[in-house]
Amino acid sequence: DAMVIQNPRYQVTQFGKPVTLSCSQTLNHNVMYWYQQKSSQAPKLLFHYYDKDFNNEADTPDNFQSRRPNTSFCFLDIRSPGLGDAAMYLCATSRPGPRSQETQYFGPGTRLLVL
Amino acid sequence: KQEVTQIPAALSVPEGENLVLNCSFTDSAIYNLQWFRQDPGKGLTSLLLIQSSQREQTSGRLNASLDKSSGRSTLYIAASQPGDSATYLCAVSGIGGSARQLTFGSGTQLTVLP
């Protein structure tokens, strides 16, 4: 089945130790997104790629970076995780079309714990 | 800046009851509104998408309505079942602001008691 896959599902890191989260998709969608969702809060968009074009949200901290080496894969790098970065990180994809019909397909998420 | 609010934050109902979840948004310039389901510790699953020109969408026991002029949407769940227990989030795709951004509400956590 076509899907969005995130690895690992759970990640424990130490304060200040760089960590990378991975997302892959078999949907062949042009757009890939990274969201941060803290407990009982709304998912917050960090950035997205439209093909190789990177689009950063204005309030995304510089501590968060992303790479998209090809259509299928996208990575989220947190350079120096702080305790406040503990959250669920959601990857999503979409296929551009009429904007009124466009939806996003989400992966299962990676829960990040910072010790 | 678009803001999306969902009330109530949590809801508990007995099995079999019909229920309504509410969503409001501040900017009516939207492409669409979507309802998602999120199970504990999991990602989001799209339930229904209502285009800005539409008034409602139905899928099985779910019916979502959209009143763009008043900035409101409702998700109606008929004959609720314990398997419906999850957090339900609404999200709008806004015409202004960051392209392709979905703005989410914080969700309504639904518990259906057997």
Side-chain angles (χ1 to χ4, degrees):
Chain A
D1 287 340
M3 58 177 62
V4 182
I5 302 162
Q6 290 189 244
N7 287 305
R9 295 293 311 278
Y10 300 91
Q11 176 74 56
V12 181
T13 190
Q14 293 178 332
F15 182 93
K17 184 175 181 181
V19 64
T20 295
L21 309 183
S22 170
C23 177
S24 64
Q25 53 129 343
T26 60
L27 298 162
N28 203 33
H29 284 172
N30 300 81
V31 192
M32 295 187 76
Y33 309 78
W34 280 104
Y35 289 85
Q36 179 192 63
Q37 185 182 26
K38 296 187 177 179
S39 181
S40 299
Q41 295 185 21
K44 179 179 177 299
L45 182 65
L46 296 174
F47 25 59
H48 74 275
Y49 274 94
Y50 190 139
D51 292 326
K52 286 196 172 293
D53 291 334
F54 178 70
N55 299 271
N56 196 32
E57 293 303 302
D59 54 357
T60 298
D62 293 339
N63 198 26
F64 292 86
Q65 305 285 322
S66 185
R67 297 170 283 134
R68 189 179 185 186
N70 54 52
T71 300
S72 300
F73 284 88
C74 195
F75 300 99
L76 169 62
D77 300 309
I78 308 176
R79 293 192 296 185
S80 181
L83 297 178
D85 296 327
M88 174 76 87
Y89 290 88
L90 297 165
C91 174
T93 72
S94 71
R95 180 194 301 275
R99 291 299 304 278
S100 63
Q101 300 172 26
E102 190 173 321
T103 189
Q104 296 182 15
Y105 297 83
F106 283 80
T110 294
R111 182 164 296 282
L112 177 68
L113 180 63
V114 181
L115 300 178
Chain B
K1 180 183 174 184
Q2 179 75 269
E3 292 183 2
V4 179
T5 303
Q6 291 186 246
I7 295 172
L11 180 64
S12 183
V13 300
E15 182 177 4
E17 192 163 297
N18 303 326
L19 59 100
V20 174
L21 306 181
N22 296 293
C23 172
S24 62
F25 49 95
T26 55
D27 187 347
S28 61
I30 63 171
Y31 288 109
N32 62 48
L33 182 143
Q34 301 175 60
W35 284 92
F36 291 87
R37 169 181 172 143
Q38 186 173 32
D39 291 286
K42 301 285 181 64
L44 280 66
T45 301
S46 179
L47 297 173
L48 290 165
L49 181 151
I50 312 176
Q51 298 179 42
S52 61
S53 60
Q54 297 174 329
R55 297 282 293 179
E56 65 177 338
Q57 283 288 331
T58 298
S59 176
R61 294 183 293 108
L62 305 180
N63 176 277
S65 68
L66 174 65
D67 184 341
K68 198 173 66 167
S69 61
S70 68
R72 294 181 181 179
S73 175
T74 61
L75 178 66
Y76 175 83
I77 302 177
S80 59
Q81 303 171 358
D84 295 330
S85 298
T87 297
Y88 291 81
L89 297 104
C90 72
V92 296
S93 176
I95 294 175
S98 174
R100 322 207 98 79
Q101 181 178 26
L102 281 180
T103 303
F104 284 86
S106 298
T108 293
Q109 185 176 356
L110 174 66
T111 302
V112 181
L113 303 169

